Amino acid sequence: ENVYQKAGDVGNRTLWVVCVIMALSSIAFYAMAFRVPVQKRLFHILTAFITTFAFLSYFAMATGDGIAYNQVKVVEQNKHVPDIVHYVYRQVYYARYIDWSLTTPLLLLDLALLAGLSGANILVAIIADIIMILTGMFAAFGSHDGQKWGWYAFGCIAYLVVVYQLAFNGRAAAAGKDGKTKAFFGAIAGFTLILWTIYPIIWGVADGARVASVDAEIISYAVLDVLAKPVFGFWLLFTHDSMASTSPSV
Ligand code: RET
């Protein structure tokens, strides 16, 4: 008896709600970008692109694009009869990984420019971040446990590199800035690290162990995505607009 794990009505409606939130916040961020002087505009443009990619990705998922089935073979062993073989098919929303591979580097760039991180450290953070997302996508399509959790482990190691760049090098760089920027970087980078750390946990119970339903996965990522993109974006841009000295030096 094969098992199918797929989204229901609740999941689908959630995808549409987030799609609309991403569209509206993108419009707001582009409008805010027009209203600041060009020297201050880099953060606005970066942040507007982040929610634009998310809007496109949610539009894809809500309309049924960017979704594939991953097949895992399950063998039940039994002493008296031949082994029973069945398959579990679970939806993988791969549009997410395309979104994340573009938007998480841009989010890191927002934070790196705020802190004044060096070029070399920015590159290390962004490359590690791309490796994290791509290994996560391979993990989601893994066809047996060793392969799936192997990819996941590589992704977690890459994530530690990202954390190190933000928490240590980012903080050290921000220490050289004015008091307001330093405090703001500490707050928004801390918010980011807490949120980002929840993603691999959701992944572990949803795509990984397959304990959480597809709807539960959609709702969890929806909450995280809204916090990590629109809420992060409004916080960054409103704070930045009210400060004189946080213009990135590029
Ligand atoms: C994966 C699985 C592999 C290991 C790790 C992961 C981390 C993902 C993260 C995603 C962040 C996404 C954001 C989206 C914004 O909308 C790929 C789940 C560590 C941190 C911020």
Side-chain angles (χ1 to χ4, degrees):
E1 190 81 351
N2 293 335
V3 177
Y4 294 87
Q5 300 185 340
K6 52 187 282 189
D9 285 345
V10 176
N12 249 68
R13 234 167 287 144
T14 306
L15 292 171
W16 275 117
V17 169
V18 179
C19 182
V20 171
I21 294 174
M22 295 299 179
L24 295 177
S25 35
S26 301
I27 293 168
F29 295 151
Y30 287 116
M32 287 169 80
F34 274 110
R35 297 177 56 228
V36 292
V38 68
Q39 298 86 339
K40 275 192 147 192
R41 203 172 282 160
L42 187 54
F43 285 120
H44 296 67
I45 292 300
L46 275 172
T47 307
F49 284 156
I50 289 165
T51 49
T52 301
F53 281 129
F55 159 69
L56 294 171
S57 157
Y58 269 93
F59 180 79
M61 296 187 290
T63 58
D65 265 331
I67 306 167
Y69 278 89
N70 172 234
Q71 181 196 57
V72 171
K73 186 177 176 181
V74 178
V75 180
E76 282 168 44
Q77 281 169 350
N78 189 305
K79 273 201 182 111
H80 307 293
V81 295
D83 290 350
I84 300 167
V85 175
H86 71 264
Y87 292 89
V88 178
Y89 296 87
R90 185 184 174 100
Q91 283 182 326
V92 174
Y93 285 71
Y94 67 85
R96 288 190 196 291
Y97 299 94
I98 301 175
D99 167 347
W100 295 351
S101 67
L102 296 164
T103 54
T104 54
L106 298 181
L107 286 164
L108 288 177
L109 205 51
D110 263 338
L111 293 171
L113 294 174
L114 181 68
L117 202 62
S118 73
N121 287 339
I122 293 179
L123 196 61
V124 171
I126 286 181
I127 298 293
D129 177 87
I130 293 171
I131 291 174
M132 170 185 86
I133 300 299
L134 295 182
T135 52
M137 184 168 78
F138 277 90
F141 283 109
S143 49
H144 56 83
D145 276 354
Q147 188 179 49
K148 195 191 321 189
W149 295 109
W151 282 122
Y152 180 79
F154 299 145
C156 290
I157 294 169
Y159 180 54
L160 294 179
V161 175
V162 174
V163 172
Y164 174 77
Q165 290 300 335
L166 271 191
F168 290 87
N169 294 333
R171 198 168 7 166
K177 298 252 172 164
D178 62 290
K180 243 185 134 181
T181 305
K182 204 166 78 180
F184 179 52
F185 175 78
I188 199 164
F191 173 76
T192 300
L193 287 184
I194 292 169
L195 278 182
W196 285 35
T197 303
I198 305 174
Y199 282 86
I201 298 172
I202 306 285
W203 193 98
V205 294
D207 287 285
R210 301 185 162 192
V211 177
S213 69
V214 174
D215 277 354
E217 172 188 335
I218 290 174
I219 293 167
S220 312
Y221 282 142
V223 172
L224 290 176
D225 286 352
V226 169
L227 292 171
K229 286 173 171 151
V231 172
F232 170 95
F234 280 113
W235 187 17
L236 177 71
L237 297 188
F238 279 128
T239 308
H240 177 60
D241 283 359
S242 71
M243 293 162 101
S245 54
T246 51
S247 303
S249 51
V250 288

